[in-house]
PDB file of all heavy atoms in Angstrom:
ATOM      1  N   ARG Q  93       0.840  -1.124   0.051  1.00 94.00           N
ATOM      2  CA  ARG Q  93      -0.043  -0.006  -0.004  1.00 94.00           C
ATOM      3  C   ARG Q  93       0.813   1.315   0.046  1.00 94.00           C
ATOM      4  O   ARG Q  93       0.437   2.267  -0.609  1.00 94.00           O
ATOM      5  CB  ARG Q  93      -0.984  -0.074   1.227  1.00 94.00           C
ATOM      6  CG  ARG Q  93      -2.211  -0.874   0.992  1.00 94.00           C
ATOM      7  CD  ARG Q  93      -3.164  -0.768   2.145  1.00 94.00           C
ATOM      8  NE  ARG Q  93      -2.628  -1.524   3.213  1.00 94.00           N
ATOM      9  CZ  ARG Q  93      -2.767  -1.032   4.510  1.00 94.00           C
ATOM     10  NH1 ARG Q  93      -3.196   0.188   4.778  1.00 94.00           N
ATOM     11  NH2 ARG Q  93      -2.442  -1.756   5.516  1.00 94.00           N
ATOM     12  N   VAL Q  94       2.030   1.163   0.581  1.00 95.00           N
ATOM     13  CA  VAL Q  94       2.984   2.328   0.506  1.00 95.00           C
ATOM     14  C   VAL Q  94       3.364   2.598  -0.784  1.00 95.00           C
ATOM     15  O   VAL Q  94       3.424   3.770  -1.256  1.00 95.00           O
ATOM     16  CB  VAL Q  94       4.104   2.073   1.514  1.00 95.00           C
ATOM     17  CG1 VAL Q  94       5.189   3.238   1.384  1.00 95.00           C
ATOM     18  CG2 VAL Q  94       3.734   1.949   2.928  1.00 95.00           C
ATOM     19  N   GLU Q  95       3.705   1.617  -1.576  1.00 94.00           N
ATOM     20  CA  GLU Q  95       4.169   1.723  -2.881  1.00 94.00           C
ATOM     21  C   GLU Q  95       3.080   2.220  -3.748  1.00 94.00           C
ATOM     22  O   GLU Q  95       3.265   3.237  -4.642  1.00 94.00           O
ATOM     23  CB  GLU Q  95       4.682   0.443  -3.479  1.00 94.00           C
ATOM     24  CG  GLU Q  95       5.382   0.685  -4.901  1.00 94.00           C
ATOM     25  CD  GLU Q  95       5.892  -0.527  -5.539  1.00 94.00           C
ATOM     26  OE1 GLU Q  95       5.303  -1.688  -5.400  1.00 94.00           O
ATOM     27  OE2 GLU Q  95       7.006  -0.517  -6.084  1.00 94.00           O
ATOM     28  N   LEU Q  96       1.839   1.802  -3.497  1.00 95.00           N
ATOM     29  CA  LEU Q  96       0.678   2.369  -4.291  1.00 95.00           C
ATOM     30  C   LEU Q  96       0.503   3.902  -3.910  1.00 95.00           C
ATOM     31  O   LEU Q  96       0.243   4.725  -4.898  1.00 95.00           O
ATOM     32  CB  LEU Q  96      -0.610   1.613  -3.813  1.00 95.00           C
ATOM     33  CG  LEU Q  96      -1.879   1.966  -4.496  1.00 95.00           C
ATOM     34  CD1 LEU Q  96      -1.698   1.971  -6.109  1.00 95.00           C
ATOM     35  CD2 LEU Q  96      -3.010   0.979  -4.136  1.00 95.00           C
ATOM     36  N   ALA Q  97       0.673   4.214  -2.656  1.00 95.00           N
ATOM     37  CA  ALA Q  97       0.509   5.632  -2.269  1.00 95.00           C
ATOM     38  C   ALA Q  97       1.577   6.492  -2.907  1.00 95.00           C
ATOM     39  O   ALA Q  97       1.330   7.526  -3.426  1.00 95.00           O
ATOM     40  CB  ALA Q  97       0.606   5.765  -0.742  1.00 95.00           C
ATOM     41  N   ARG Q  98       2.796   5.958  -3.096  1.00 94.00           N
ATOM     42  CA  ARG Q  98       3.910   6.691  -3.741  1.00 94.00           C
ATOM     43  C   ARG Q  98       3.578   6.914  -5.269  1.00 94.00           C
ATOM     44  O   ARG Q  98       3.897   7.923  -5.848  1.00 94.00           O
ATOM     45  CB  ARG Q  98       5.201   5.924  -3.502  1.00 94.00           C
ATOM     46  CG  ARG Q  98       6.397   6.785  -4.073  1.00 94.00           C
ATOM     47  CD  ARG Q  98       7.739   6.157  -3.739  1.00 94.00           C
ATOM     48  NE  ARG Q  98       7.724   4.814  -4.564  1.00 94.00           N
ATOM     49  CZ  ARG Q  98       8.887   4.079  -4.523  1.00 94.00           C
ATOM     50  NH1 ARG Q  98       9.884   4.218  -3.733  1.00 94.00           N
ATOM     51  NH2 ARG Q  98       8.926   2.927  -5.271  1.00 94.00           N
ATOM     52  N   ALA Q  99       3.052   5.852  -5.837  1.00 94.00           N
ATOM     53  CA  ALA Q  99       2.698   6.020  -7.269  1.00 94.00           C
ATOM     54  C   ALA Q  99       1.678   7.122  -7.457  1.00 94.00           C
ATOM     55  O   ALA Q  99       1.717   7.883  -8.433  1.00 94.00           O
ATOM     56  CB  ALA Q  99       2.231   4.663  -7.823  1.00 94.00           C
ATOM     57  N   LEU Q 100       0.622   7.133  -6.542  1.00 95.00           N
ATOM     58  CA  LEU Q 100      -0.448   8.093  -6.628  1.00 95.00           C
ATOM     59  C   LEU Q 100       0.091   9.496  -6.366  1.00 95.00           C
ATOM     60  O   LEU Q 100      -0.582  10.510  -6.835  1.00 95.00           O
ATOM     61  CB  LEU Q 100      -1.538   7.704  -5.782  1.00 95.00           C
ATOM     62  CG  LEU Q 100      -2.289   6.450  -6.057  1.00 95.00           C
ATOM     63  CD1 LEU Q 100      -3.181   6.163  -4.829  1.00 95.00           C
ATOM     64  CD2 LEU Q 100      -3.101   6.580  -7.308  1.00 95.00           C
ATOM     65  N   ALA Q 101       1.129   9.644  -5.627  1.00 93.00           N
ATOM     66  CA  ALA Q 101       1.739  10.923  -5.287  1.00 93.00           C
ATOM     67  C   ALA Q 101       2.173  11.715  -6.622  1.00 93.00           C
ATOM     68  O   ALA Q 101       2.204  12.823  -6.499  1.00 93.00           O
ATOM     69  CB  ALA Q 101       2.850  10.768  -4.339  1.00 93.00           C
ATOM     70  N   ALA Q 102       2.446  10.977  -7.614  1.00 91.00           N
ATOM     71  CA  ALA Q 102       2.943  11.571  -8.878  1.00 91.00           C
ATOM     72  C   ALA Q 102       1.734  12.082  -9.654  1.00 91.00           C
ATOM     73  O   ALA Q 102       1.880  12.612 -10.741  1.00 91.00           O
ATOM     74  CB  ALA Q 102       3.775  10.564  -9.710  1.00 91.00           C
ATOM     75  N   GLU Q 103       0.551  11.917  -9.202  1.00 93.00           N
ATOM     76  CA  GLU Q 103      -0.675  12.443  -9.792  1.00 93.00           C
ATOM     77  C   GLU Q 103      -0.865  11.843 -11.260  1.00 93.00           C
ATOM     78  O   GLU Q 103      -1.049  12.572 -12.098  1.00 93.00           O
ATOM     79  CB  GLU Q 103      -0.687  13.935  -9.827  1.00 93.00           C
ATOM     80  CG  GLU Q 103      -0.737  14.642  -8.441  1.00 93.00           C
ATOM     81  CD  GLU Q 103      -0.556  16.141  -8.489  1.00 93.00           C
ATOM     82  OE1 GLU Q 103      -0.806  16.720  -9.620  1.00 93.00           O
ATOM     83  OE2 GLU Q 103      -0.222  16.782  -7.468  1.00 93.00           O
ATOM     84  N   PRO Q 104      -0.850  10.610 -11.261  1.00 95.00           N
ATOM     85  CA  PRO Q 104      -0.968   9.904 -12.573  1.00 95.00           C
ATOM     86  C   PRO Q 104      -2.370   9.960 -13.192  1.00 95.00           C
ATOM     87  O   PRO Q 104      -3.409   9.993 -12.416  1.00 95.00           O
ATOM     88  CB  PRO Q 104      -0.486   8.452 -12.385  1.00 95.00           C
ATOM     89  CG  PRO Q 104      -0.932   8.160 -10.917  1.00 95.00           C
ATOM     90  CD  PRO Q 104      -0.757   9.448 -10.163  1.00 95.00           C
ATOM     91  N   ARG Q 105      -2.513   9.891 -14.434  1.00 97.00           N
ATOM     92  CA  ARG Q 105      -3.793   9.567 -15.046  1.00 97.00           C
ATOM     93  C   ARG Q 105      -3.990   8.133 -15.478  1.00 97.00           C
ATOM     94  O   ARG Q 105      -5.017   7.606 -15.421  1.00 97.00           O
ATOM     95  CB  ARG Q 105      -3.895  10.527 -16.283  1.00 97.00           C
ATOM     96  CG  ARG Q 105      -3.886  11.971 -16.002  1.00 97.00           C
ATOM     97  CD  ARG Q 105      -3.670  12.809 -17.318  1.00 97.00           C
ATOM     98  NE  ARG Q 105      -4.694  12.536 -18.307  1.00 97.00           N
ATOM     99  CZ  ARG Q 105      -4.473  12.781 -19.617  1.00 97.00           C
ATOM    100  NH1 ARG Q 105      -3.398  13.307 -20.028  1.00 97.00           N
ATOM    101  NH2 ARG Q 105      -5.433  12.536 -20.399  1.00 97.00           N
ATOM    102  N   LEU Q 106      -2.864   7.433 -15.752  1.00 98.00           N
ATOM    103  CA  LEU Q 106      -2.751   6.026 -16.027  1.00 98.00           C
ATOM    104  C   LEU Q 106      -1.832   5.456 -14.845  1.00 98.00           C
ATOM    105  O   LEU Q 106      -0.684   5.849 -14.748  1.00 98.00           O
ATOM    106  CB  LEU Q 106      -2.131   5.893 -17.413  1.00 98.00           C
ATOM    107  CG  LEU Q 106      -1.788   4.302 -17.700  1.00 98.00           C
ATOM    108  CD1 LEU Q 106      -3.111   3.551 -17.846  1.00 98.00           C
ATOM    109  CD2 LEU Q 106      -0.963   4.247 -19.049  1.00 98.00           C
ATOM    110  N   LEU Q 107      -2.429   4.443 -14.293  1.00 97.00           N
ATOM    111  CA  LEU Q 107      -1.659   3.682 -13.210  1.00 97.00           C
ATOM    112  C   LEU Q 107      -1.473   2.324 -13.713  1.00 97.00           C
ATOM    113  O   LEU Q 107      -2.278   1.565 -14.025  1.00 97.00           O
ATOM    114  CB  LEU Q 107      -2.519   3.678 -11.954  1.00 97.00           C
ATOM    115  CG  LEU Q 107      -1.777   3.115 -10.660  1.00 97.00           C
ATOM    116  CD1 LEU Q 107      -0.519   3.867 -10.325  1.00 97.00           C
ATOM    117  CD2 LEU Q 107      -2.850   3.043  -9.570  1.00 97.00           C
ATOM    118  N   LEU Q 108      -0.115   1.852 -13.717  1.00 96.00           N
ATOM    119  CA  LEU Q 108       0.279   0.609 -14.166  1.00 96.00           C
ATOM    120  C   LEU Q 108       0.586  -0.304 -12.807  1.00 96.00           C
ATOM    121  O   LEU Q 108       1.431   0.141 -12.058  1.00 96.00           O
ATOM    122  CB  LEU Q 108       1.550   0.633 -14.982  1.00 96.00           C
ATOM    123  CG  LEU Q 108       1.593   1.528 -16.111  1.00 96.00           C
ATOM    124  CD1 LEU Q 108       2.905   1.543 -16.840  1.00 96.00           C
ATOM    125  CD2 LEU Q 108       0.502   1.093 -17.090  1.00 96.00           C
ATOM    126  N   LEU Q 109      -0.199  -1.281 -12.677  1.00 96.00           N
ATOM    127  CA  LEU Q 109       0.014  -2.131 -11.411  1.00 96.00           C
ATOM    128  C   LEU Q 109       0.519  -3.365 -11.776  1.00 96.00           C
ATOM    129  O   LEU Q 109      -0.113  -4.283 -12.570  1.00 96.00           O
ATOM    130  CB  LEU Q 109      -1.484  -2.230 -10.773  1.00 96.00           C
ATOM    131  CG  LEU Q 109      -2.179  -1.058 -10.224  1.00 96.00           C
ATOM    132  CD1 LEU Q 109      -3.446  -1.314  -9.596  1.00 96.00           C
ATOM    133  CD2 LEU Q 109      -1.191  -0.211  -9.167  1.00 96.00           C
ATOM    134  N   ASP Q 110       1.752  -3.744 -11.364  1.00 93.00           N
ATOM    135  CA  ASP Q 110       2.425  -4.959 -11.729  1.00 93.00           C
ATOM    136  C   ASP Q 110       2.291  -5.930 -10.562  1.00 93.00           C
ATOM    137  O   ASP Q 110       3.009  -5.817  -9.554  1.00 93.00           O
ATOM    138  CB  ASP Q 110       3.800  -4.700 -12.093  1.00 93.00           C
ATOM    139  CG  ASP Q 110       4.552  -5.782 -12.692  1.00 93.00           C
ATOM    140  OD1 ASP Q 110       3.999  -6.803 -12.819  1.00 93.00           O
ATOM    141  OD2 ASP Q 110       5.695  -5.668 -13.149  1.00 93.00           O
ATOM    142  N   GLU Q 111       1.428  -6.880 -10.702  1.00 93.00           N
ATOM    143  CA  GLU Q 111       1.276  -8.033  -9.695  1.00 93.00           C
ATOM    144  C   GLU Q 111       0.953  -7.443  -8.217  1.00 93.00           C
ATOM    145  O   GLU Q 111       1.576  -7.858  -7.363  1.00 93.00           O
ATOM    146  CB  GLU Q 111       2.434  -8.892  -9.651  1.00 93.00           C
ATOM    147  CG  GLU Q 111       2.740  -9.622 -10.918  1.00 93.00           C
ATOM    148  CD  GLU Q 111       1.970 -10.895 -11.215  1.00 93.00           C
ATOM    149  OE1 GLU Q 111       1.024 -11.185 -10.408  1.00 93.00           O
ATOM    150  OE2 GLU Q 111       2.160 -11.492 -12.153  1.00 93.00           O
ATOM    151  N   PRO Q 112      -0.088  -6.622  -8.136  1.00 93.00           N
ATOM    152  CA  PRO Q 112      -0.285  -5.983  -6.828  1.00 93.00           C
ATOM    153  C   PRO Q 112      -0.805  -6.918  -5.761  1.00 93.00           C
ATOM    154  O   PRO Q 112      -0.622  -6.686  -4.559  1.00 93.00           O
ATOM    155  CB  PRO Q 112      -1.422  -5.000  -7.122  1.00 93.00           C
ATOM    156  CG  PRO Q 112      -2.016  -5.545  -8.311  1.00 93.00           C
ATOM    157  CD  PRO Q 112      -0.992  -6.177  -9.179  1.00 93.00           C
ATOM    158  N   ALA Q 113      -1.282  -8.153  -6.267  1.00 93.00           N
ATOM    159  CA  ALA Q 113      -1.704  -9.160  -5.232  1.00 93.00           C
ATOM    160  C   ALA Q 113      -0.706 -10.116  -4.889  1.00 93.00           C
ATOM    161  O   ALA Q 113      -0.886 -11.059  -3.945  1.00 93.00           O
ATOM    162  CB  ALA Q 113      -3.001  -9.855  -5.784  1.00 93.00           C
ATOM    163  N   SER Q 114       0.427 -10.028  -5.493  1.00 90.00           N
ATOM    164  CA  SER Q 114       1.447 -11.006  -5.172  1.00 90.00           C
ATOM    165  C   SER Q 114       1.953 -10.982  -3.749  1.00 90.00           C
ATOM    166  O   SER Q 114       2.325  -9.847  -3.259  1.00 90.00           O
ATOM    167  CB  SER Q 114       2.786 -10.743  -6.018  1.00 90.00           C
ATOM    168  OG  SER Q 114       3.823 -11.542  -5.782  1.00 90.00           O
ATOM    169  N   GLY Q 115       2.058 -12.075  -3.058  1.00 89.00           N
ATOM    170  CA  GLY Q 115       2.397 -12.181  -1.700  1.00 89.00           C
ATOM    171  C   GLY Q 115       1.314 -11.759  -0.715  1.00 89.00           C
ATOM    172  O   GLY Q 115       1.594 -11.865   0.542  1.00 89.00           O
ATOM    173  N   LEU Q 116       0.146 -11.471  -1.166  1.00 91.00           N
ATOM    174  CA  LEU Q 116      -0.986 -11.162  -0.114  1.00 91.00           C
ATOM    175  C   LEU Q 116      -1.804 -12.367   0.190  1.00 91.00           C
ATOM    176  O   LEU Q 116      -1.943 -13.349  -0.617  1.00 91.00           O
ATOM    177  CB  LEU Q 116      -1.891 -10.044  -0.826  1.00 91.00           C
ATOM    178  CG  LEU Q 116      -1.200  -8.745  -1.195  1.00 91.00           C
ATOM    179  CD1 LEU Q 116      -2.218  -7.821  -1.779  1.00 91.00           C
ATOM    180  CD2 LEU Q 116      -0.295  -8.095  -0.109  1.00 91.00           C
ATOM    181  N   ASN Q 117      -2.370 -12.292   1.450  1.00 91.00           N
ATOM    182  CA  ASN Q 117      -3.286 -13.417   1.823  1.00 91.00           C
ATOM    183  C   ASN Q 117      -4.692 -13.182   1.282  1.00 91.00           C
ATOM    184  O   ASN Q 117      -4.963 -12.056   0.585  1.00 91.00           O
ATOM    185  CB  ASN Q 117      -3.226 -13.564   3.284  1.00 91.00           C
ATOM    186  CG  ASN Q 117      -3.766 -12.294   4.031  1.00 91.00           C
ATOM    187  OD1 ASN Q 117      -4.748 -11.665   3.586  1.00 91.00           O
ATOM    188  ND2 ASN Q 117      -3.190 -11.981   5.255  1.00 91.00           N
ATOM    189  N   HIS Q 118      -5.535 -14.089   1.431  1.00 91.00           N
ATOM    190  CA  HIS Q 118      -6.901 -14.013   0.876  1.00 91.00           C
ATOM    191  C   HIS Q 118      -7.669 -12.673   1.209  1.00 91.00           C
ATOM    192  O   HIS Q 118      -8.268 -12.001   0.392  1.00 91.00           O
ATOM    193  CB  HIS Q 118      -7.749 -15.097   1.223  1.00 91.00           C
ATOM    194  CG  HIS Q 118      -9.118 -15.251   0.818  1.00 91.00           C
ATOM    195  ND1 HIS Q 118      -9.443 -15.449  -0.605  1.00 91.00           N
ATOM    196  CD2 HIS Q 118     -10.327 -14.909   1.366  1.00 91.00           C
ATOM    197  CE1 HIS Q 118     -10.748 -15.291  -0.733  1.00 91.00           C
ATOM    198  NE2 HIS Q 118     -11.216 -15.025   0.416  1.00 91.00           N
ATOM    199  N   GLU Q 119      -7.554 -12.321   2.564  1.00 92.00           N
ATOM    200  CA  GLU Q 119      -8.243 -11.213   3.004  1.00 92.00           C
ATOM    201  C   GLU Q 119      -7.716  -9.921   2.437  1.00 92.00           C
ATOM    202  O   GLU Q 119      -8.509  -9.017   2.076  1.00 92.00           O
ATOM    203  CB  GLU Q 119      -8.222 -11.066   4.564  1.00 92.00           C
ATOM    204  CG  GLU Q 119      -9.093 -12.045   5.232  1.00 92.00           C
ATOM    205  CD  GLU Q 119      -8.457 -13.505   5.203  1.00 92.00           C
ATOM    206  OE1 GLU Q 119      -7.232 -13.637   4.960  1.00 92.00           O
ATOM    207  OE2 GLU Q 119      -9.123 -14.444   5.578  1.00 92.00           O
ATOM    208  N   GLU Q 120      -6.332  -9.881   2.197  1.00 92.00           N
ATOM    209  CA  GLU Q 120      -5.728  -8.761   1.610  1.00 92.00           C
ATOM    210  C   GLU Q 120      -6.018  -8.607   0.115  1.00 92.00           C
ATOM    211  O   GLU Q 120      -6.295  -7.476  -0.306  1.00 92.00           O
ATOM    212  CB  GLU Q 120      -4.168  -8.839   1.819  1.00 92.00           C
ATOM    213  CG  GLU Q 120      -3.761  -8.597   3.343  1.00 92.00           C
ATOM    214  CD  GLU Q 120      -2.289  -8.928   3.501  1.00 92.00           C
ATOM    215  OE1 GLU Q 120      -1.838  -9.788   2.866  1.00 92.00           O
ATOM    216  OE2 GLU Q 120      -1.707  -8.271   4.397  1.00 92.00           O
ATOM    217  N   VAL Q 121      -6.181  -9.743  -0.576  1.00 93.00           N
ATOM    218  CA  VAL Q 121      -6.469  -9.642  -2.012  1.00 93.00           C
ATOM    219  C   VAL Q 121      -7.963  -9.161  -2.044  1.00 93.00           C
ATOM    220  O   VAL Q 121      -8.206  -8.264  -2.960  1.00 93.00           O
ATOM    221  CB  VAL Q 121      -6.351 -10.997  -2.614  1.00 93.00           C
ATOM    222  CG1 VAL Q 121      -6.958 -11.033  -3.997  1.00 93.00           C
ATOM    223  CG2 VAL Q 121      -5.015 -11.478  -2.653  1.00 93.00           C
ATOM    224  N   GLU Q 122      -8.879  -9.616  -1.198  1.00 92.00           N
ATOM    225  CA  GLU Q 122     -10.244  -9.126  -1.276  1.00 92.00           C
ATOM    226  C   GLU Q 122     -10.304  -7.613  -1.057  1.00 92.00           C
ATOM    227  O   GLU Q 122     -11.015  -6.916  -1.715  1.00 92.00           O
ATOM    228  CB  GLU Q 122     -11.116  -9.806  -0.249  1.00 92.00           C
ATOM    229  CG  GLU Q 122     -11.427 -11.359  -0.528  1.00 92.00           C
ATOM    230  CD  GLU Q 122     -12.258 -11.437  -1.756  1.00 92.00           C
ATOM    231  OE1 GLU Q 122     -13.214 -10.698  -1.854  1.00 92.00           O
ATOM    232  OE2 GLU Q 122     -11.930 -12.286  -2.616  1.00 92.00           O
ATOM    233  N   ALA Q 123      -9.533  -7.093  -0.069  1.00 93.00           N
ATOM    234  CA  ALA Q 123      -9.623  -5.712   0.247  1.00 93.00           C
ATOM    235  C   ALA Q 123      -8.966  -4.869  -0.909  1.00 93.00           C
ATOM    236  O   ALA Q 123      -9.332  -3.760  -1.194  1.00 93.00           O
ATOM    237  CB  ALA Q 123      -8.719  -5.433   1.481  1.00 93.00           C
ATOM    238  N   LEU Q 124      -7.916  -5.360  -1.535  1.00 94.00           N
ATOM    239  CA  LEU Q 124      -7.183  -4.748  -2.716  1.00 94.00           C
ATOM    240  C   LEU Q 124      -8.196  -4.518  -3.864  1.00 94.00           C
ATOM    241  O   LEU Q 124      -8.082  -3.443  -4.359  1.00 94.00           O
ATOM    242  CB  LEU Q 124      -5.937  -5.685  -3.182  1.00 94.00           C
ATOM    243  CG  LEU Q 124      -5.249  -5.196  -4.287  1.00 94.00           C
ATOM    244  CD1 LEU Q 124      -4.557  -3.799  -3.996  1.00 94.00           C
ATOM    245  CD2 LEU Q 124      -4.202  -6.177  -4.917  1.00 94.00           C
ATOM    246  N   GLY Q 125      -8.983  -5.452  -4.233  1.00 95.00           N
ATOM    247  CA  GLY Q 125      -9.935  -5.208  -5.246  1.00 95.00           C
ATOM    248  C   GLY Q 125     -10.797  -4.040  -5.053  1.00 95.00           C
ATOM    249  O   GLY Q 125     -11.018  -3.129  -5.920  1.00 95.00           O
ATOM    250  N   GLY Q 126     -11.308  -3.879  -3.896  1.00 94.00           N
ATOM    251  CA  GLY Q 126     -12.174  -2.764  -3.558  1.00 94.00           C
ATOM    252  C   GLY Q 126     -11.438  -1.482  -3.547  1.00 94.00           C
ATOM    253  O   GLY Q 126     -11.877  -0.470  -3.962  1.00 94.00           O
ATOM    254  N   LEU Q 127     -10.136  -1.595  -2.951  1.00 94.00           N
ATOM    255  CA  LEU Q 127      -9.331  -0.381  -2.934  1.00 94.00           C
ATOM    256  C   LEU Q 127      -8.993   0.149  -4.332  1.00 94.00           C
ATOM    257  O   LEU Q 127      -9.089   1.371  -4.633  1.00 94.00           O
ATOM    258  CB  LEU Q 127      -7.960  -0.676  -2.169  1.00 94.00           C
ATOM    259  CG  LEU Q 127      -6.910   0.423  -2.084  1.00 94.00           C
ATOM    260  CD1 LEU Q 127      -7.482   1.637  -1.304  1.00 94.00           C
ATOM    261  CD2 LEU Q 127      -5.724  -0.148  -1.497  1.00 94.00           C
ATOM    262  N   ILE Q 128      -8.633  -0.738  -5.267  1.00 96.00           N
ATOM    263  CA  ILE Q 128      -8.349  -0.280  -6.652  1.00 96.00           C
ATOM    264  C   ILE Q 128      -9.577   0.371  -7.302  1.00 96.00           C
ATOM    265  O   ILE Q 128      -9.312   1.478  -7.973  1.00 96.00           O
ATOM    266  CB  ILE Q 128      -7.898  -1.560  -7.528  1.00 96.00           C
ATOM    267  CG1 ILE Q 128      -6.563  -1.947  -6.985  1.00 96.00           C
ATOM    268  CG2 ILE Q 128      -7.720  -1.153  -9.090  1.00 96.00           C
ATOM    269  CD1 ILE Q 128      -5.998  -3.288  -7.695  1.00 96.00           C
ATOM    270  N   ARG Q 129     -10.659  -0.243  -7.126  1.00 96.00           N
ATOM    271  CA  ARG Q 129     -11.938   0.455  -7.668  1.00 96.00           C
ATOM    272  C   ARG Q 129     -12.232   1.823  -7.047  1.00 96.00           C
ATOM    273  O   ARG Q 129     -12.522   2.741  -7.729  1.00 96.00           O
ATOM    274  CB  ARG Q 129     -13.061  -0.498  -7.620  1.00 96.00           C
ATOM    275  CG  ARG Q 129     -13.230  -1.594  -8.585  1.00 96.00           C
ATOM    276  CD  ARG Q 129     -14.537  -2.383  -8.513  1.00 96.00           C
ATOM    277  NE  ARG Q 129     -14.697  -3.330  -9.551  1.00 96.00           N
ATOM    278  CZ  ARG Q 129     -15.237  -2.748 -10.844  1.00 96.00           C
ATOM    279  NH1 ARG Q 129     -15.493  -1.588 -11.081  1.00 96.00           N
ATOM    280  NH2 ARG Q 129     -15.365  -3.772 -11.777  1.00 96.00           N
ATOM    281  N   SER Q 130     -12.060   1.855  -5.780  1.00 95.00           N
ATOM    282  CA  SER Q 130     -12.376   3.241  -5.041  1.00 95.00           C
ATOM    283  C   SER Q 130     -11.304   4.205  -5.497  1.00 95.00           C
ATOM    284  O   SER Q 130     -11.721   5.412  -5.627  1.00 95.00           O
ATOM    285  CB  SER Q 130     -12.280   3.028  -3.533  1.00 95.00           C
ATOM    286  OG  SER Q 130     -11.057   2.629  -3.023  1.00 95.00           O
ATOM    287  N   LEU Q 131     -10.021   3.858  -5.601  1.00 95.00           N
ATOM    288  CA  LEU Q 131      -9.069   4.836  -6.044  1.00 95.00           C
ATOM    289  C   LEU Q 131      -9.279   5.286  -7.456  1.00 95.00           C
ATOM    290  O   LEU Q 131      -9.067   6.376  -7.806  1.00 95.00           O
ATOM    291  CB  LEU Q 131      -7.650   4.178  -5.958  1.00 95.00           C
ATOM    292  CG  LEU Q 131      -7.183   3.952  -4.428  1.00 95.00           C
ATOM    293  CD1 LEU Q 131      -5.822   3.267  -4.519  1.00 95.00           C
ATOM    294  CD2 LEU Q 131      -7.023   5.213  -3.622  1.00 95.00           C
ATOM    295  N   ARG Q 132      -9.695   4.333  -8.333  1.00 96.00           N
ATOM    296  CA  ARG Q 132     -10.063   4.593  -9.749  1.00 96.00           C
ATOM    297  C   ARG Q 132     -11.146   5.777  -9.728  1.00 96.00           C
ATOM    298  O   ARG Q 132     -11.042   6.783 -10.358  1.00 96.00           O
ATOM    299  CB  ARG Q 132     -10.591   3.564 -10.458  1.00 96.00           C
ATOM    300  CG  ARG Q 132     -10.938   3.614 -11.926  1.00 96.00           C
ATOM    301  CD  ARG Q 132     -12.364   3.924 -12.208  1.00 96.00           C
ATOM    302  NE  ARG Q 132     -13.158   2.801 -11.877  1.00 96.00           N
ATOM    303  CZ  ARG Q 132     -13.562   1.847 -12.639  1.00 96.00           C
ATOM    304  NH1 ARG Q 132     -13.235   1.846 -13.966  1.00 96.00           N
ATOM    305  NH2 ARG Q 132     -14.425   0.978 -12.242  1.00 96.00           N
ATOM    306  N   GLU Q 133     -12.118   5.741  -8.868  1.00 96.00           N
ATOM    307  CA  GLU Q 133     -13.263   6.629  -8.851  1.00 96.00           C
ATOM    308  C   GLU Q 133     -12.652   8.026  -8.173  1.00 96.00           C
ATOM    309  O   GLU Q 133     -13.006   9.152  -8.679  1.00 96.00           O
ATOM    310  CB  GLU Q 133     -14.458   6.136  -8.094  1.00 96.00           C
ATOM    311  CG  GLU Q 133     -14.927   4.875  -8.642  1.00 96.00           C
ATOM    312  CD  GLU Q 133     -15.642   5.104  -9.985  1.00 96.00           C
ATOM    313  OE1 GLU Q 133     -16.084   6.290 -10.186  1.00 96.00           O
ATOM    314  OE2 GLU Q 133     -15.676   4.104 -10.784  1.00 96.00           O
TER     315      GLU Q 133
END
């Protein structure tokens, strides 16, 4: 999430996410999906 925050600090219009769920447990993956959609909006 820190790396995601750092990417967003550059104020991108296009965000490239390379394997964001890698190494996450099931609960973290579920939360990640909602987070990506909410950040998109």
Side-chain angles (χ1 to χ4, degrees):
R93 281 186 284 136
V94 175
E95 188 177 43
L96 181 53
R98 187 177 65 182
L100 291 171
E103 301 175 11
R105 297 165 59 201
L106 173 66
L107 184 61
L108 308 176
L109 299 179
D110 192 353
E111 300 279 4
S114 175
L116 302 185
N117 61 38
H118 177 74
E119 290 75 16
E120 289 170 331
V121 172
E122 288 295 314
L124 177 64
L127 177 62
I128 292 172
R129 280 190 169 275
S130 67
L131 293 175
R132 185 263 298 264
E133 300 296 333

